[in-house]
């Protein structure tokens, strides 16, 4: 997703006649397309920081974010720079790194993203923003219509964007749990998937319809050799974060607890099969609990080809 956002950002900078995007990636080969668009491949995070006023971060989890922020802080003078984090992390992580950045007279903006890598390619992601409001205004020309379809500004406290993203991911996981159970009922009742999928799209909207297709069209279990849209490990992280946030607030997310159990069992199945699975792979466990195979008919036919 970070690569897709960076490519769209570089296209925008080129169209506006601005300086090219400076970038760094752990895996250098992943930046080849970005270089082809005119982006400048830097040898280190420090090189990006020293040549930029606004620094975007897109990484996998809390530990990776903390490591990258520490490298940014060690790069030298970051006075008045704006650091924008698009990663989904625990609110306490956003709060912690924001404090570190502010001690260096820079600004930290939490900007987690709703959407998938294909949506990022098409500029259809939604970005949630929190932090210094004047800095968020400075970012506006680089967000809506450039890398995202829309933005939501939540608060001047960076951790609130992280919390909203965690809540949103809980809702998506809850939808996936319920829709997966409904599809299993449809299959066990010999009704089939098509009518249910039509109902989800026509009556309940775009998101339930998209989730349904992730299940019926086999995205929950990608073909061997292909990476999932959203790795199962990220689903485990996000649902775990949502349960922890609820506990801290003095409440429970019982649907999340059910989803987390199914995700953990799906992770065990993934390790057993030696095959990466999507964060929607709870569907396979729901199927197994109902006496069905982990793979639905679509996956079986696809993998047999």
């Amino acid at each position: 997703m970070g690569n897709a956002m960076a490519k769209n950002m570089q296209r925008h900078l080129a169209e506006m006649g601005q300086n090219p995007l400076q970038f760094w990636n752990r895996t250098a080969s992943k930046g080849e397309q970005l270089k082809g668009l005119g982006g400048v491949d830097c040898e280190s995070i420090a090189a990006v920081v020293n040549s930029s006023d606004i620094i975007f971060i897109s990484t996998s989890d809390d530990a990776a974010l903390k490591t990258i922020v520490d490298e940014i802080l060690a790069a030298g003078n970051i006075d008045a720079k704006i650091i924008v984090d698009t990663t989904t992390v625990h609110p306490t992580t956003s709060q912690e790194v924001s404090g570190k950045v502010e001690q260096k007279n820079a600004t930290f903006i939490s900007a987690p993203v709703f959407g998938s890598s294909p949506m990022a390619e098409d500029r259809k992601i939604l970005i949630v923003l929190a932090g210094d409001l004047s800095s968020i205004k400075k970012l506006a020309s680089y967000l809506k219509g450039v890398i995202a379809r829309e933005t939501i500004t939540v608060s001047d406290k960076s951790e609130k964007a992280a919390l909203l993203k965690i809540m949103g991911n809980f809702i998506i996981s809850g939808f996936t749990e319920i829709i997966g159970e409904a599809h299993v009922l449809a299959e066990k009742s010999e009704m089939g998937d098509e009518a249910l999928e039509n109902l989800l799209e026509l009556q309940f909207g775009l998101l339930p319809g998209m989730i349904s297709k992730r299940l019926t069209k086999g995205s929950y279990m990608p073909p061997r050799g292909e990476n999932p849209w959203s790795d199962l490990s990220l689903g485990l992280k996000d649902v775990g974060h949502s349960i922890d946030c609820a506990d801290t607030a003095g409440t429970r997310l019982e649907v999340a607890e059910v989803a987390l159990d199914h995700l953990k069992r799906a992770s065990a199945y993934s390790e057993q099969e030696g095959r990466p699975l999507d964060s929607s792979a709870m569907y396979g466990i729901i199927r197994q609990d109902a006496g069905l195979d982990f793979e639905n008919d679509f996956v079986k036919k696809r993998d047999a080809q």
Side-chain angles (χ1 to χ4, degrees), residues 3 12 23 44 65 88 132 171 178 190 194 243:
N3 192 29
H12 172 74
F23 74 93
S44 66
L65 173 63
T88 300
D132 178 70
I171 291 169
I178 292 169
E190 300 181 353
E194 185 175 354
I243 291 171

Side-chain angles (χ1 to χ4, degrees), residues 42-155:
C42 296
E43 62 183 11
S44 66
I45 291 175
V48 173
V49 173
N50 291 327
S51 61
S52 307
D53 294 322
I54 301 173
I55 301 108
F56 281 79
I57 302 170
S58 179
T59 190
S60 56
D61 57 28
D62 300 59
L65 173 63
K66 291 178 181 179
T67 298
I68 290 170
V69 168
D70 284 346
E71 290 190 45
I72 289 173
L73 298 179
N77 182 17
I78 64 167
D79 188 62
K81 294 182 185 286
I82 301 173
I83 299 170
V84 186
D85 173 41
T86 66
T87 313
T88 300
V89 296
H90 197 288
T92 57
T93 299
S94 280
Q95 191 173 35
E96 176 186 334
V97 297
S98 179
K100 286 184 176 182
V101 168
E102 288 172 3
Q103 287 178 3
K104 296 288 186 176
N105 297 316
T107 300
F108 179 83
I109 302 296
S110 178
V113 172
F114 284 100
S116 62
S117 295
M119 291 176 70
E121 292 279 358
D122 294 336
R123 307 183 187 193
K124 292 181 179 178
I125 56 174
L126 172 67
I127 298 180
V128 179
L129 299 160
D132 178 70
L133 299 180
S134 62
S135 296
I136 289 175
K137 286 182 180 179
K138 293 178 184 177
L139 295 174
S141 62
Y142 299 106
L143 301 177
K144 184 177 179 180
V146 177
I147 63 173
R149 62 179 169 86
E150 191 55 87
T151 65
I152 299 174
T153 299
V154 184
S155 170

Side-chain angles (χ1 to χ4, degrees), residues 8-18 37 123 145-146:
N8 285 330
M9 181 73 77
Q10 171 54 29
R11 291 187 183 102
H12 172 74
L13 294 173
E15 288 170 2
M16 299 300 293
Q18 298 184 21
L37 293 171
R123 307 183 187 193
V146 177

